[in-house]
Amino acid sequence: FIEELSAETYGLNDKTKSYNTAGIVASSNKLAQDASLSEIMSALQKTYCETIAYEFEHVMSPAVKQWFAEFVESTDSQGAVWRKERFHELLVRAEVFEHFLQKKLPSVKRYGIEGSESIVVLLDQLVFEAAQYGVTDIVAGLSHRGRLGILTSLFEYPKDEVLRKLRGGSEFSDGSPHTGDMVVDLAKSATLNYPGIDSPINVDILCNACHLDSGMPIGMGKSRTKDINIARAKNNQNHTIGDHVLPVSLHGDSSFAGQGIVAESLGMSGLTHFTNGGTVHVIINNQVGYTTPASHTRTTRYASDIAKFVDIPIIHVNGDHPEELARAARTAVAYRQKFRKDVVIDVWTFRKRGHNELDEPSFTQPAMYKRINSRKSIPAMYEGKLIESGELTREKADKVRKQWLESLNIAFADSFSCNPVDPTRPPGWSKLGAPHEYPTEEATGVNTNELSNIGVKSVTTSESVTVHPRIERFHIKPRLKKLQEGAGLDWATAEALAFGSLLTEGYNVRLSGQDVGRGTFSQRHAMLVCQETEKVYVPLNHMDADSQEQRMGKLEVVNSNLCEGAVVGFEYGVSVEDPFTLAIWEAQFGDFYNNSQTMFDGYIVSGETKWGQQNGLVLLLPHGFDGGGPDHSSCRLERHLQLSNDPVDGHTDAMPNIYVTYPTTPAQFFHLLRRQVKRNFRKPLIVAAPKTMLRLASATSALNEMSPGTCFKPVLDDPTTRDPHSVKRVMVVSGKLYYDLAKLKNENPLGEHVAIVRVEELTPFPRRELFHVLSRYDNATDFVWVQEEPRNAGAYAFAAPRIKSMLPQHTTLRYVGRSEHAATCSGVETQQAAEHVQLTTEAFDGLRGLVADLVIDSIATQHEKQHDKPASVISASVSHRWASRAVYAAHSSDH
């Protein structure tokens, strides 16, 4: 007894009394305008209290609540016509497929769909309904549960390829460089055709890592970008996000309630720069999480309750009734198309065989599985219902089962010899490729007059915009002055020049992250806020095209919500879908990427290796020890470098899976950003971005460093070295520490005997370029890696074996820096400052002795030449055998 559903609770005791139904129940052909309380109660109970139910009273919008009530109450009474034979066929396919696998491959985990077969009907109906509204594409994020059954029975994934994978083979063609993924992470796009619908529906199945629901924000970013690109291709001037693409996301009940990425994704689903026109979320509610009962997986009544905090309506439906799932699909798509917002369908089902086929679920749910094992399957119940009603004959039902089983037997035989067809490359990606040899740096410079003009436009506003006086004084006027002088350009200016030049070439730029419009350090001001109206103005979006034929790109400045995991996933989805949009995510501080580690590990750096899915996402992670404490100082360079596939020995030119850089000049940063989209391939780029360097007077660039013919340089030699032969110590450094060392070198009377070489690109490690620079210093005997990070962090562990392999014989690489530390750095400013002084001082210790050796050696050499004597022992001890490193020397002339 539910008190709220009792008429007596509201003082309605006379069930024969008639009421005008206007405003009580939506008008329909089964309820008169004047109806008795009993008739009204019956109609409402039929709609809300049987095998389908709705939650929408928590939604704040009166319009949504009114629409939902009217839609479900009116359509419920109209007797919908369903595609029952299609539903039966899909259910039979799913069931026969599971039984077939259980017989042929009983020891293989497949996380089957048994007990939830009606999900296939729901998905089919969602696609069918979307097509009625003109949707052409579906972006589907599938869960582990039932993935193989859904792929084969609905999305027509080749059965022989699925069976080959289940038997231990690869999902890729023979000889493919891709390593593949678990069988329950298979993905291949599909095309569905429906009678009465002219155009086929494209279904883009998301590749997803095993971390539950991690693919949710990726689907959001991919679907939004796909929808916008379709509209652009069709030149649709009246486009509303969601017109062309419907995202569908499948979840487990425990993961939907428990995974933080769900709340993060839902929280940004309605934000201007993140909305995709609404996702249909489907919860496959098995009422248990692995072995944990629902009462221990959440504190709420329903698994779907997390969606209520963002006003998402929820449809609960009993999975035993396929036609009710179809009704739920119809309602969900109608709502989504009307309001362009998310909707949840919570499908109550069960798992026939536990978490996987090797599991014994009665260990932990004995009562539940007694009931499950004593009941008929959903396909069998639906088939019996159709036969009993005369809508299906036994002969037809048996024929469907027989034909599908025969096709599976044929596919199983073929799986021993089949060679899978690799997934087709998405639109746009066909114009690009993977590098087939060690990539060389192409010129990315731009005409300086054009750059100067872009720089001026980057701080030019409309007359209607009142700029804050401090921005006018400290940002706009200095930029204009330095552009006029052509020197002293800071990082924000170089970035604006990179963005603006790409926009003029037709590329789009999407800059996303917390407070990126202004910039964490108040350095960027890519968007200006009017001090009178708070209207936002993005100057670079107001540049004029030089001709009617020139297509200008757009800069999308996205101040994201306060989360990392979902936002990074979203931007990854953007980058995967559109290789010609420069997608950038910037962390407030580099350390904050920690909250998105799953996206880095499972997708960004490994997606191409596992799935052949490339991306060109740029990740700006502010890095540097400047008193920010242990959680605001490090982007964890060591972790990103561990994810690199760069070979330690360096004797093969392996294609990099990721680029990790630590640039030290604005010009280098300019070239990095342009290089990212000007190349004919895409790789993710991680930049240890500047903090103190943003305003460091010595860390500036001249305009001609970005002129035609210039490009990014993976290694920067010491610009102050006058005589390479007089150098005895070579310091190798990466990042902002260079400027502190350069200052000390300039102040040291023996500084001319020191060279400071910067490694700007850490992976792929620039062996040839570094060898070319180091080999210039043929009298150097002391090679030192200097870093501000602790020894167990930073780039030392990665760089050391690679540098040692190229040094002359009888030399090694010393380490100068902080010792091992559990935290990134000290949170005590005085301690951190003392450590910094100690390590920079140590970098120059012992110079006098090295220079004395150089003088002695020089005297000995002159003496031997005068007296025609053989070389001394001292001379031999400092003689370098750079040529012995032939693998590098052979290429050094190319650079």
Side-chain angles (χ1 to χ4, degrees), residues 662-682:
Y662 196 173
T664 56
T665 73
Q668 287 279 82
F669 187 47
F670 167 88
H671 289 299
L672 269 179
L673 293 175
R674 285 186 51 79
R675 182 184 78 169
Q676 191 67 2
V677 289
K678 298 298 290 183
R679 281 174 157 173
N680 66 345
F681 62 91
R682 297 289 180 265

Side-chain angles (χ1 to χ4, degrees), residues 616-782:
L617 183 61
V618 178
L619 301 124
L620 304 182
L621 309 180
H623 177 86
F625 287 39
D626 49 18
D631 296 319
H632 293 77
S633 298
S634 175
C635 74
R636 297 287 187 179
L637 278 168
E638 64 280 1
R639 292 185 185 170
H640 306 305
L641 294 172
Q642 277 187 328
L643 297 172
S644 165
N645 65 354
D646 186 87
V648 176
D649 57 27
H651 289 277
T652 58
D653 286 333
M655 292 304 101
N657 64 323
I658 187 172
Y659 281 75
V660 179
T661 63
Y662 196 173
T664 56
T665 73
Q668 287 279 82
F669 187 47
F670 167 88
H671 289 299
L672 269 179
L673 293 175
R674 285 186 51 79
R675 182 184 78 169
Q676 191 67 2
V677 289
K678 298 298 290 183
R679 281 174 157 173
N680 66 345
F681 62 91
R682 297 289 180 265
K683 299 285 180 178
L685 169 66
I686 292 176
V687 181
K691 294 194 293 180
T692 54
M693 281 193 292
L694 290 170
R695 293 182 173 85
L696 189 63
S698 54
T700 58
S701 296
L703 199 59
N704 61 16
E705 293 177 62
M706 308 172 211
S707 62
T710 58
C711 65
F712 175 77
K713 297 178 181 178
V715 176
L716 293 180
D717 199 357
D718 193 329
T720 65
T721 299
R722 287 177 294 180
D723 179 13
H725 305 294
S726 69
V727 170
K728 289 296 290 180
R729 174 175 295 166
V730 177
M731 298 181 190
V732 186
V733 65
S734 188
K736 80 174 187 68
L737 186 61
Y738 162 78
Y739 291 102
D740 297 320
L741 296 173
K743 183 174 183 295
L744 290 175
K745 173 188 171 180
N746 185 56
E747 296 170 351
N748 194 304
L750 299 177
E752 64 180 299
H753 301 292
V754 175
I756 308 174
V757 177
R758 284 168 279 177
V759 179
E760 302 275 289
E761 186 169 84
L762 291 162
T763 186
F765 196 73
R767 294 171 175 81
R768 298 169 186 171
E769 295 88 345
L770 185 58
F771 178 86
H772 175 65
V773 171
L774 294 181
S775 61
R776 294 179 62 231
Y777 303 110
D778 50 4
N779 284 321
T781 57
D782 190 26

Side-chain angles (χ1 to χ4, degrees), residues 344-361:
V344 172
I345 303 175
D346 178 22
V347 185
W348 288 62
T349 62
F350 61 92
R351 299 180 320 204
K352 174 68 174 174
R353 301 181 188 276
H355 186 62
N356 62 64
E357 289 66 34
L358 305 186
D359 191 17
E360 178 45 74

Side-chain angles (χ1 to χ4, degrees), residues 388-695:
E388 184 179 347
S389 65
E391 296 171 279
L392 180 71
T393 64
R394 170 53 62 189
E395 291 74 20
K396 179 67 178 295
D398 291 343
K399 182 179 179 181
V400 171
R401 288 180 179 274
K402 181 180 178 182
Q403 288 179 339
W404 186 246
L405 180 59
E406 287 177 351
S407 71
L408 289 171
N409 279 314
I410 293 171
F412 187 77
D414 292 343
S415 69
F416 289 87
S417 58
C418 80
N419 188 17
V421 177
D422 291 338
T424 56
R425 293 167 65 81
W429 285 98
S430 58
K431 301 175 184 177
L432 303 170
H436 297 295
E437 56 185 16
Y438 193 84
T440 57
E441 300 304 332
E442 302 292 338
T444 47
V446 179
N447 180 277
T448 53
N449 290 331
E450 186 177 331
L451 286 178
S452 183
N453 182 51
I454 290 170
V456 172
K457 292 289 181 64
S458 72
V459 289
T460 302
T461 64
S462 164
E463 292 181 359
S464 63
V465 176
T466 302
V467 178
H468 194 287
R470 290 178 61 186
I471 294 178
E472 181 74 38
R473 179 181 176 186
F474 296 109
H475 179 72
I476 295 177
K477 288 183 178 179
R479 177 172 293 185
L480 293 174
K481 181 175 183 294
K482 291 171 183 176
L483 285 167
Q484 188 175 19
E485 296 170 350
L489 302 181
D490 59 19
W491 293 75
T493 301
E495 180 186 75
L497 297 181
F499 288 171
S501 59
L502 289 173
L503 297 180
T504 63
E505 295 172 28
Y507 296 98
N508 296 310
V509 178
R510 179 179 163 97
L511 174 64
S512 175
Q514 296 151 24
D515 311 301
V516 294
R518 188 204 71 170
T520 298
F521 309 101
S522 198
Q523 85 283 4
R524 179 174 289 123
H525 300 293
M527 49 169 274
L528 300 172
V529 179
C530 177
Q531 298 301 296
E532 304 295 333
T533 65
E534 290 200 356
K535 177 183 176 182
V536 173
Y537 188 87
V538 180
L540 285 176
N541 283 335
H542 295 270
M543 295 189 297
D544 297 324
D546 294 333
S547 64
Q548 291 183 345
E549 292 76 24
Q550 183 181 13
R551 176 192 173 276
M552 298 290 289
K554 179 184 178 182
L555 170 61
E556 189 175 7
V557 182
V558 183
N559 286 326
S560 75
N561 57 329
L562 197 64
C563 78
E564 289 79 31
V567 176
V568 171
F570 189 100
E571 304 309 331
Y572 172 76
V574 172
S575 182
V576 164
E577 180 62 29
D578 186 358
F580 299 103
T581 288
L582 178 62
I584 303 172
W585 179 72
E586 180 179 68
Q588 276 192 329
F589 291 88
D591 320 60
F592 294 4
Y593 98 92
N594 280 329
N595 291 335
S596 58
Q597 190 71 56
T598 293
M599 298 301 168
F600 279 70
D601 294 356
Y603 295 92
I604 296 170
V605 305
S606 61
E608 183 177 1
T609 299
K610 292 188 294 187
W611 313 311
Q613 179 169 280
Q614 293 176 287
N615 78 92
L617 183 61
V618 178
L619 301 124
L620 304 182
L621 309 180
H623 177 86
F625 287 39
D626 49 18
D631 296 319
H632 293 77
S633 298
S634 175
C635 74
R636 297 287 187 179
L637 278 168
E638 64 280 1
R639 292 185 185 170
H640 306 305
L641 294 172
Q642 277 187 328
L643 297 172
S644 165
N645 65 354
D646 186 87
V648 176
D649 57 27
H651 289 277
T652 58
D653 286 333
M655 292 304 101
N657 64 323
I658 187 172
Y659 281 75
V660 179
T661 63
Y662 196 173
T664 56
T665 73
Q668 287 279 82
F669 187 47
F670 167 88
H671 289 299
L672 269 179
L673 293 175
R674 285 186 51 79
R675 182 184 78 169
Q676 191 67 2
V677 289
K678 298 298 290 183
R679 281 174 157 173
N680 66 345
F681 62 91
R682 297 289 180 265
K683 299 285 180 178
L685 169 66
I686 292 176
V687 181
K691 294 194 293 180
T692 54
M693 281 193 292
L694 290 170
R695 293 182 173 85

